[in-house]
Amino acid sequence: MIYNFDFGAVLAYWPLLLEGVWTTLRLTLFSTVFGILVGAFCAVVRTGGPAWARWIVSLYVEFIRNTPLLVQSYFLIFGIASMGIRLPILLGAVIALTVNIGAYTTEIVRAGIESIHRGQLEAATCLGLSSTQTYLHVIIRPALERVYPALSSQYVLLMLASSIVSSVGVEELFGISNRIQSETYRNFEIFVVLGVIYLLLAVLVRSGFALLGLAIFPRRRTLGTPL
Amino acid sequence: MSPIVELKDVHKSFGSLEVLKGVTFEVNKGEVAAIIGQSGSGKSTALRCMDRLETIQGGSMLICGHQLHDTDVDLKALRRDVGIVFQSYNLFPHLTVAQNIMLAPRMVKGMKQRDAREIADTVIAKVGLREKMDCYPEQLSGGQQQRVAIARSLAMEPKLMLFDEVTSALDPQLTGEVLRVMEQLAADGMTMILVTHEMAFARKVADRVIYMRDGKVHEMGSSDILRTPATPELAAFVSESAEH
């Protein structure tokens, strides 16, 4: 069996690949920002909200965590579109990814919130802090610091999982690669290149989270120990 | 002199378990009161009721002019007047010593960073930990953490300080440094109520000793009652404590 490797044929498409990388990164960035907001909000509701709101949040979390991201994406992009609501494809993809990652973030942040000792709340209460102030300064901040490593991994996963939205027509890195593959028939080469690019992106996202962590958690920056 | 703390026939239950069965005592301004008694006698619960961490179900409780049995008691005002220090310190682990102390003055009193820092400098000097201002709690010993917790309470300039077994988690050496800070506070005229197992400290510093037993005040008086108890139960408790 003789196979002539021709990476040149694949790498000639570098402007397209770069475009794919850029789309993947944008998808990841927006879903990360919105996902953390959604997740932190839902975690607060789930730990301290009224019973009906807790119930809604847990329904959301369980539904998302127990159905495939692929189905969720199809539903949000094609399902909703068939009802006459047409979203730009990239926006639809960001919404699908945000809804998905938001549920996982909720669970992670909730674990962080529940790890905060009751004594912390009592101390804040006795100092006269309102419950909003207590949540902001005494609960959420240390909770996020504690679960930050788990959150980082989850968001690297999000970047990798964003390849799924190629199947609804988003021309992100994986979608673009499929196109290159069908034009060059260089299956082996394109998926090696793709793997390397994803690996580099994962390192990039992970480093980004590490740097962000140093910026927003001064205790970790100073002591370098887990909270 | 009118009392700053006044408990009259206070009752409190957790479910079917009655913990306080009619507790009555008073503490005057500037006094140090030590509440002693076996575990489960209700002394910590009584203290926690005074800061409305627990609500009472019967009787009346007047703390710094606030009627705690009223449903519309102004909790924010109560907690400005009352400081409490816990056995487990409860410092905020993600904040430095300075930030721990400044948080409440800034959030609750709306102070500017600079004014809050000034207060923090004053209270940290009182507990002798000026050089630790930029440390995080985990970098401090238990005794130091507890002194920071005291400073954090003092920063709100309370009229009454409550201490809930604040040295129970500390070894004897660290206990000493915390007790010295409390002794100085007492000497400065702070009204203090402490739940404690430190008999020697109660004997030395307390103006009033309250011996609780089975949810009631069993015996009360000046610290002399620790030397010459009137009831056999207190006599037994004192001699038991002396053995440890």
Side-chain angles (χ1 to χ4, degrees), chain A:
Chain A
M1 191 186 85
I2 298 171
Y3 184 90
N4 292 316
F5 292 106
D6 185 4
F7 282 96
V10 167
L11 293 175
Y13 283 87
W14 70 266
L16 264 183
L17 285 171
L18 212 58
E19 210 174 287
V21 165
W22 176 232
T23 306
T24 291
L25 280 179
R26 273 187 302 166
L27 278 176
T28 307
L29 180 69
F30 286 119
S31 323
T32 298
V33 172
F34 295 131
I36 288 180
L37 291 177
V38 168
F41 176 77
C42 288
V44 169
V45 170
R46 200 170 179 181
T47 51
W52 61 267
R54 287 181 199 212
W55 189 78
I56 291 176
V57 168
S58 47
L59 204 67
Y60 155 61
V61 168
E62 291 314 318
F63 185 78
I64 294 299
R65 293 202 312 161
N66 293 292
T67 52
L69 172 58
L70 189 59
V71 175
Q72 294 162 18
S73 309
Y74 269 67
F75 172 76
L76 278 165
I77 291 162
F78 299 138
I80 299 234
S82 71
M83 290 171 62
I85 303 166
R86 291 195 175 276
L87 299 172
I89 186 92
L90 216 55
L91 178 63
V94 167
I95 292 175
L97 290 173
T98 300
V99 166
N100 182 268
I101 195 71
Y104 287 94
T105 307
T106 302
E107 279 306 272
I108 294 175
V109 176
R110 178 174 80 125
I113 289 176
E114 283 171 356
S115 79
I116 304 296
H117 196 268
R118 220 185 96 211
Q120 297 281 306
L121 301 177
E122 286 191 347
T125 305
C126 291
L127 286 167
L129 268 68
S130 69
S131 51
T132 311
Q133 289 169 334
T134 303
Y135 251 103
L136 281 179
H137 298 281
V138 178
I139 301 178
I140 293 284
R141 271 187 59 190
L144 282 179
E145 183 169 346
R146 201 165 277 168
V147 298
Y148 195 71
L151 271 185
S152 310
S153 302
Q154 194 65 50
Y155 280 87
V156 171
L157 266 180
L158 166 76
M159 188 277 292
L160 299 175
S162 71
S163 57
I164 281 185
V165 297
S166 64
S167 66
V168 292
V170 181
E171 294 250 282
E172 45 67 77
L173 185 53
F174 188 74
I176 294 265
S177 305
N178 264 333
R179 212 168 100 195
I180 298 171
Q181 180 249 333
S182 64
E183 284 177 22
T184 62
Y185 301 108
R186 286 288 162 188
N187 293 7
F188 182 90
E189 290 87 340
I190 184 66
F191 292 118
V192 167
V193 169
L194 189 59
V196 171
I197 296 179
Y198 269 118
L199 192 67
L200 293 176
L201 282 181
V203 171
L204 182 74
V205 172
R206 218 172 267 283
S207 317
F209 264 93
L211 285 176
L212 184 68
L214 290 179
I216 57 182
F217 302 124
R219 195 206 65 91
R220 193 181 207 97
R221 184 170 65 231
T222 312
L223 303 183
T225 53
L227 184 65

Side-chain angles (χ1 to χ4, degrees), chain A residues 118-120 122-129 133 137-138 141-142 145 218-219 222-223 225 227, chain B residues 48 51 53 76 79 82 84 86 90-95 103-104 107-108 136 138-139 152 156:
Chain A
R118 220 185 96 211
Q120 297 281 306
E122 286 191 347
T125 305
C126 291
L127 286 167
L129 268 68
Q133 289 169 334
H137 298 281
V138 178
R141 271 187 59 190
E145 183 169 346
R219 195 206 65 91
T222 312
L223 303 183
T225 53
L227 184 65
Chain B
R48 289 169 60 81
D51 205 11
L53 281 171
K76 206 166 173 179
R79 283 165 184 156
V82 181
I84 185 164
F86 303 94
N90 295 338
L91 294 180
F92 306 129
H94 60 298
L95 300 179
L103 183 66
M107 293 296 144
V108 182
Y136 286 91
E138 70 189 85
Q139 296 173 290
R152 184 174 67 175
M156 292 301 281

Side-chain angles (χ1 to χ4, degrees), chain B residues 97-115:
Chain B
V97 167
Q99 291 165 339
N100 261 281
I101 297 174
M102 286 157 41
L103 183 66
R106 294 191 63 192
M107 293 296 144
V108 182
K109 292 189 173 173
M111 277 189 185
K112 291 205 174 66
Q113 166 90 14
R114 228 188 51 199
D115 300 334

Side-chain angles (χ1 to χ4, degrees), chain B residues 213-226:
Chain B
R213 187 182 162 82
D214 196 24
K216 282 182 177 165
V217 175
H218 195 75
E219 191 174 341
M220 179 164 48
S222 74
S223 59
D224 290 340
I225 66 168
L226 293 174

